[in-house]
Amino acid sequence: MKKNDVVTVEVTDIGIGGEGIGKVDGYTLFIKDAVIGDTVEVKVMKAKKNYGYARLMRIVKESAFRVSARCPEARRCGGCQIQEMDYRKQLEFKNTKVRNNLIRLGSVEEELLDQIMEPIAGMEEPFRYRNKAQFPIGVDKEGNLIAGFYAGRTHQIIPVPNRDCVLGVPENKVILDQILDYMREEKISAYDEERHKGLVRHVLIRYGYFTKEVMVCLILNGNKILKEEQLVKSLCEIPGMTSITYNINKEKTNVIMGSKVCPLWGQTYITDYIGNVKYQISPLSFYQVNPVQTEVLYGTALEYAGLTGKETVWDVYCGIGTISLFLAQKAQKVYGVRLTKPRRATNRNKLDGRPKGTLKRFRFEETRLGFMLLYETPVVYNLIMQSTPNSPFPEPSPDVIEIIAKASKDPSFQKKKFARYLEEYREHGLYCRRGKKLTPERKAYYESVRNQKLKKFISNNRKKIKALKKRLIL
């Protein structure tokens, strides 16, 4: 198979990005916009040794599972995939993917899954459910203001048809119309990513699914918005309007939100419910975007947890605490752990006499503390890293390290060097001393030691692991 070949292929599966998968004489092709059961004519756009990517040219025979997309821009827009597949088939596909991953990647026995895996829980109506939308603002080729979503794998804005995405709430359209009209009247510019010019970058809209409260937040490439009174007046006419704010993001980045939120009118948050628990949600809060399925998910987790009111629950990576508070209904105590501390200011001259700015910041596993945890207590190391926000240089909290280390009761943490390394790390963070430099031979040795410790842990805790597998929440 080579580039520009045109072939006919039957689609038999779908990849994780929603692309159809078919084979021609054993050669695998990934085809965007194809549905399981389609027979399609495609043009090969990129050819690797064993697989390639192809463009859909013509549907020779439609799948029995192909349906008309509710959105006319479903193929171009990067906001959703497989909208042209029947929803029941989508659920079947997702169920199969999870099952196969548990068998192939998780080494869960197929017979065990047959006994314990429950059917997937789908929605009655898989549209109009999203309680949050972030619309990039730009201009089209004629210079007209537009709001939409980015095309897949690009930063080209695809205008939402009639500014009404079928996954979001109807209020989105009304809000976007008001903002775009205001920008036209006051000649306020949209942000140009290439030139880093223009004021309005995005519009963030949140909707309280159960409270009907509405939030609008404009993300600006500047410090303020002009003639805000006019905008506020028009937005306040929308039923349920509760919070109008703006967020400052003057960085040359594709990250949507900056760190500073400024009020324009009303509160800086809205409220909503998951079950009987009421939450305050700010523009920067992480909050599940599908409230209907969130309640199903959390309710299932609470049921499976089997809490009696005597347990202490730790919710690591808790965000604003939606799961923590939901589980608190039946637990004795719940601790939510979330790390959002600012970058550490360090007096580098104090560490080793080097001029300021020359001391290297190490990765955590390269520090003396991280090295010890990684190779002496790999299970504890993994727990610590799972409790740490992802970043190019993850920096676990010393308090979290100490709590998990003590709870493990591993003899390694009775050594004097652990206390010494922890204190050094607590003071200097990732700028503390480096652990051992690893040659390839030494690295191989330490990896073998680490693997032996992991195998020993699994062997000693086989019964607990087996019991845990039986309580898998699928």
Side-chain angles (χ1 to χ4, degrees), residues 249-266:
N249 182 3
K250 295 190 284 186
E251 300 297 321
K252 196 170 185 179
T253 175
N254 56 13
V255 176
I256 293 176
M257 304 290 289
S259 58
K260 185 176 181 181
V261 176
C262 305
L264 282 176
W265 178 87

PDB file of all heavy atoms in Angstrom, residues 249-266:
ATOM      1  N   ASN A 249      -6.063  36.565  30.271  1.00  0.00           N
ATOM      2  CA  ASN A 249      -5.047  35.644  29.766  1.00  0.00           C
ATOM      3  C   ASN A 249      -4.295  36.343  28.634  1.00  0.00           C
ATOM      4  O   ASN A 249      -4.717  36.316  27.479  1.00  0.00           O
ATOM      5  CB  ASN A 249      -5.677  34.339  29.267  1.00  0.00           C
ATOM      6  CG  ASN A 249      -4.643  33.345  28.785  1.00  0.00           C
ATOM      7  OD1 ASN A 249      -3.442  33.595  28.876  1.00  0.00           O
ATOM      8  ND2 ASN A 249      -5.087  32.213  28.272  1.00  0.00           N
ATOM      9  N   LYS A 250      -3.176  36.968  28.981  1.00  0.00           N
ATOM     10  CA  LYS A 250      -2.389  37.707  27.980  1.00  0.00           C
ATOM     11  C   LYS A 250      -1.176  36.913  27.503  1.00  0.00           C
ATOM     12  O   LYS A 250      -0.307  37.451  26.823  1.00  0.00           O
ATOM     13  CB  LYS A 250      -1.944  39.052  28.576  1.00  0.00           C
ATOM     14  CG  LYS A 250      -3.110  39.992  28.878  1.00  0.00           C
ATOM     15  CD  LYS A 250      -2.656  41.394  29.223  1.00  0.00           C
ATOM     16  CE  LYS A 250      -2.092  41.458  30.630  1.00  0.00           C
ATOM     17  NZ  LYS A 250      -1.766  42.853  31.033  1.00  0.00           N
ATOM     18  N   GLU A 251      -1.140  35.614  27.848  1.00  0.00           N
ATOM     19  CA  GLU A 251      -0.017  34.782  27.432  1.00  0.00           C
ATOM     20  C   GLU A 251      -0.190  34.335  25.977  1.00  0.00           C
ATOM     21  O   GLU A 251      -1.303  34.167  25.493  1.00  0.00           O
ATOM     22  CB  GLU A 251       0.078  33.554  28.333  1.00  0.00           C
ATOM     23  CG  GLU A 251       0.299  33.868  29.804  1.00  0.00           C
ATOM     24  CD  GLU A 251       1.621  34.566  30.055  1.00  0.00           C
ATOM     25  OE1 GLU A 251       2.617  34.193  29.399  1.00  0.00           O
ATOM     26  OE2 GLU A 251       1.657  35.479  30.897  1.00  0.00           O
ATOM     27  N   LYS A 252       0.934  34.123  25.324  1.00  0.00           N
ATOM     28  CA  LYS A 252       0.905  33.574  23.963  1.00  0.00           C
ATOM     29  C   LYS A 252       0.886  32.056  24.080  1.00  0.00           C
ATOM     30  O   LYS A 252       1.906  31.379  24.026  1.00  0.00           O
ATOM     31  CB  LYS A 252       2.122  34.054  23.163  1.00  0.00           C
ATOM     32  CG  LYS A 252       1.979  33.852  21.666  1.00  0.00           C
ATOM     33  CD  LYS A 252       3.081  34.554  20.900  1.00  0.00           C
ATOM     34  CE  LYS A 252       2.847  34.433  19.389  1.00  0.00           C
ATOM     35  NZ  LYS A 252       3.888  35.126  18.626  1.00  0.00           N
ATOM     36  N   THR A 253      -0.309  31.533  24.259  1.00  0.00           N
ATOM     37  CA  THR A 253      -0.482  30.120  24.572  1.00  0.00           C
ATOM     38  C   THR A 253      -1.818  29.643  24.048  1.00  0.00           C
ATOM     39  O   THR A 253      -2.712  30.451  23.773  1.00  0.00           O
ATOM     40  CB  THR A 253      -0.411  29.900  26.102  1.00  0.00           C
ATOM     41  OG1 THR A 253      -0.687  28.534  26.403  1.00  0.00           O
ATOM     42  CG2 THR A 253      -1.443  30.764  26.821  1.00  0.00           C
ATOM     43  N   ASN A 254      -1.965  28.314  23.927  1.00  0.00           N
ATOM     44  CA  ASN A 254      -3.275  27.777  23.561  1.00  0.00           C
ATOM     45  C   ASN A 254      -4.053  27.307  24.791  1.00  0.00           C
ATOM     46  O   ASN A 254      -5.117  26.711  24.674  1.00  0.00           O
ATOM     47  CB  ASN A 254      -3.141  26.640  22.544  1.00  0.00           C
ATOM     48  CG  ASN A 254      -2.235  25.529  23.040  1.00  0.00           C
ATOM     49  OD1 ASN A 254      -1.884  25.470  24.213  1.00  0.00           O
ATOM     50  ND2 ASN A 254      -1.846  24.638  22.140  1.00  0.00           N
ATOM     51  N   VAL A 255      -3.511  27.563  25.991  1.00  0.00           N
ATOM     52  CA  VAL A 255      -4.275  27.328  27.222  1.00  0.00           C
ATOM     53  C   VAL A 255      -5.385  28.374  27.288  1.00  0.00           C
ATOM     54  O   VAL A 255      -5.140  29.564  27.105  1.00  0.00           O
ATOM     55  CB  VAL A 255      -3.365  27.445  28.463  1.00  0.00           C
ATOM     56  CG1 VAL A 255      -4.180  27.310  29.742  1.00  0.00           C
ATOM     57  CG2 VAL A 255      -2.274  26.377  28.415  1.00  0.00           C
ATOM     58  N   ILE A 256      -6.603  27.937  27.537  1.00  0.00           N
ATOM     59  CA  ILE A 256      -7.753  28.838  27.427  1.00  0.00           C
ATOM     60  C   ILE A 256      -7.798  29.859  28.560  1.00  0.00           C
ATOM     61  O   ILE A 256      -7.905  31.053  28.327  1.00  0.00           O
ATOM     62  CB  ILE A 256      -9.065  28.030  27.370  1.00  0.00           C
ATOM     63  CG1 ILE A 256      -9.122  27.217  26.063  1.00  0.00           C
ATOM     64  CG2 ILE A 256     -10.279  28.963  27.450  1.00  0.00           C
ATOM     65  CD1 ILE A 256     -10.320  26.311  25.947  1.00  0.00           C
ATOM     66  N   MET A 257      -7.725  29.399  29.800  1.00  0.00           N
ATOM     67  CA  MET A 257      -7.964  30.269  30.951  1.00  0.00           C
ATOM     68  C   MET A 257      -6.677  30.790  31.559  1.00  0.00           C
ATOM     69  O   MET A 257      -5.670  30.069  31.647  1.00  0.00           O
ATOM     70  CB  MET A 257      -8.746  29.517  32.035  1.00  0.00           C
ATOM     71  CG  MET A 257     -10.067  28.935  31.576  1.00  0.00           C
ATOM     72  SD  MET A 257     -11.336  30.168  31.234  1.00  0.00           S
ATOM     73  CE  MET A 257     -11.735  30.740  32.882  1.00  0.00           C
ATOM     74  N   GLY A 258      -6.711  32.064  31.987  1.00  0.00           N
ATOM     75  CA  GLY A 258      -5.664  32.592  32.839  1.00  0.00           C
ATOM     76  C   GLY A 258      -6.018  32.336  34.294  1.00  0.00           C
ATOM     77  O   GLY A 258      -7.038  31.711  34.600  1.00  0.00           O
ATOM     78  N   SER A 259      -5.211  32.853  35.223  1.00  0.00           N
ATOM     79  CA  SER A 259      -5.435  32.559  36.638  1.00  0.00           C
ATOM     80  C   SER A 259      -6.310  33.603  37.331  1.00  0.00           C
ATOM     81  O   SER A 259      -6.832  33.358  38.419  1.00  0.00           O
ATOM     82  CB  SER A 259      -4.096  32.469  37.368  1.00  0.00           C
ATOM     83  OG  SER A 259      -3.368  33.678  37.233  1.00  0.00           O
ATOM     84  N   LYS A 260      -6.507  34.780  36.713  1.00  0.00           N
ATOM     85  CA  LYS A 260      -7.218  35.869  37.385  1.00  0.00           C
ATOM     86  C   LYS A 260      -8.623  36.036  36.822  1.00  0.00           C
ATOM     87  O   LYS A 260      -8.813  36.248  35.626  1.00  0.00           O
ATOM     88  CB  LYS A 260      -6.432  37.178  37.237  1.00  0.00           C
ATOM     89  CG  LYS A 260      -7.034  38.345  38.014  1.00  0.00           C
ATOM     90  CD  LYS A 260      -6.166  39.599  37.907  1.00  0.00           C
ATOM     91  CE  LYS A 260      -6.755  40.749  38.702  1.00  0.00           C
ATOM     92  NZ  LYS A 260      -5.931  41.984  38.598  1.00  0.00           N
ATOM     93  N   VAL A 261      -9.625  35.972  37.713  1.00  0.00           N
ATOM     94  CA  VAL A 261     -11.023  36.167  37.340  1.00  0.00           C
ATOM     95  C   VAL A 261     -11.542  37.441  38.012  1.00  0.00           C
ATOM     96  O   VAL A 261     -11.387  37.611  39.222  1.00  0.00           O
ATOM     97  CB  VAL A 261     -11.887  34.964  37.755  1.00  0.00           C
ATOM     98  CG1 VAL A 261     -13.362  35.227  37.459  1.00  0.00           C
ATOM     99  CG2 VAL A 261     -11.413  33.700  37.037  1.00  0.00           C
ATOM    100  N   CYS A 262     -12.140  38.324  37.228  1.00  0.00           N
ATOM    101  CA  CYS A 262     -12.634  39.610  37.746  1.00  0.00           C
ATOM    102  C   CYS A 262     -14.143  39.686  37.571  1.00  0.00           C
ATOM    103  O   CYS A 262     -14.671  39.360  36.497  1.00  0.00           O
ATOM    104  CB  CYS A 262     -11.979  40.774  37.007  1.00  0.00           C
ATOM    105  SG  CYS A 262     -10.170  40.734  37.028  1.00  0.00           S
ATOM    106  N   PRO A 263     -14.878  40.120  38.606  1.00  0.00           N
ATOM    107  CA  PRO A 263     -16.342  40.196  38.507  1.00  0.00           C
ATOM    108  C   PRO A 263     -16.806  41.394  37.678  1.00  0.00           C
ATOM    109  O   PRO A 263     -16.200  42.461  37.718  1.00  0.00           O
ATOM    110  CB  PRO A 263     -16.778  40.340  39.970  1.00  0.00           C
ATOM    111  CG  PRO A 263     -15.606  40.993  40.647  1.00  0.00           C
ATOM    112  CD  PRO A 263     -14.383  40.490  39.942  1.00  0.00           C
ATOM    113  N   LEU A 264     -17.866  41.220  36.921  1.00  0.00           N
ATOM    114  CA  LEU A 264     -18.543  42.316  36.227  1.00  0.00           C
ATOM    115  C   LEU A 264     -19.918  42.559  36.825  1.00  0.00           C
ATOM    116  O   LEU A 264     -20.354  43.700  36.976  1.00  0.00           O
ATOM    117  CB  LEU A 264     -18.691  41.998  34.735  1.00  0.00           C
ATOM    118  CG  LEU A 264     -17.457  42.166  33.847  1.00  0.00           C
ATOM    119  CD1 LEU A 264     -17.772  41.721  32.423  1.00  0.00           C
ATOM    120  CD2 LEU A 264     -16.980  43.616  33.858  1.00  0.00           C
ATOM    121  N   TRP A 265     -20.615  41.471  37.165  1.00  0.00           N
ATOM    122  CA  TRP A 265     -21.956  41.578  37.724  1.00  0.00           C
ATOM    123  C   TRP A 265     -22.301  40.278  38.449  1.00  0.00           C
ATOM    124  O   TRP A 265     -21.955  39.184  38.019  1.00  0.00           O
ATOM    125  CB  TRP A 265     -22.972  41.838  36.608  1.00  0.00           C
ATOM    126  CG  TRP A 265     -24.402  41.925  37.093  1.00  0.00           C
ATOM    127  CD1 TRP A 265     -25.049  43.026  37.563  1.00  0.00           C
ATOM    128  CD2 TRP A 265     -25.332  40.838  37.168  1.00  0.00           C
ATOM    129  NE1 TRP A 265     -26.327  42.708  37.928  1.00  0.00           N
ATOM    130  CE2 TRP A 265     -26.537  41.367  37.695  1.00  0.00           C
ATOM    131  CE3 TRP A 265     -25.272  39.490  36.865  1.00  0.00           C
ATOM    132  CZ2 TRP A 265     -27.671  40.581  37.902  1.00  0.00           C
ATOM    133  CZ3 TRP A 265     -26.396  38.702  37.074  1.00  0.00           C
ATOM    134  CH2 TRP A 265     -27.576  39.250  37.582  1.00  0.00           C
ATOM    135  N   GLY A 266     -23.002  40.403  39.577  1.00  0.00           N
ATOM    136  CA  GLY A 266     -23.478  39.230  40.303  1.00  0.00           C
ATOM    137  C   GLY A 266     -22.365  38.511  41.038  1.00  0.00           C
ATOM    138  O   GLY A 266     -21.337  39.088  41.401  1.00  0.00           O
TER     139      GLY A 266
END
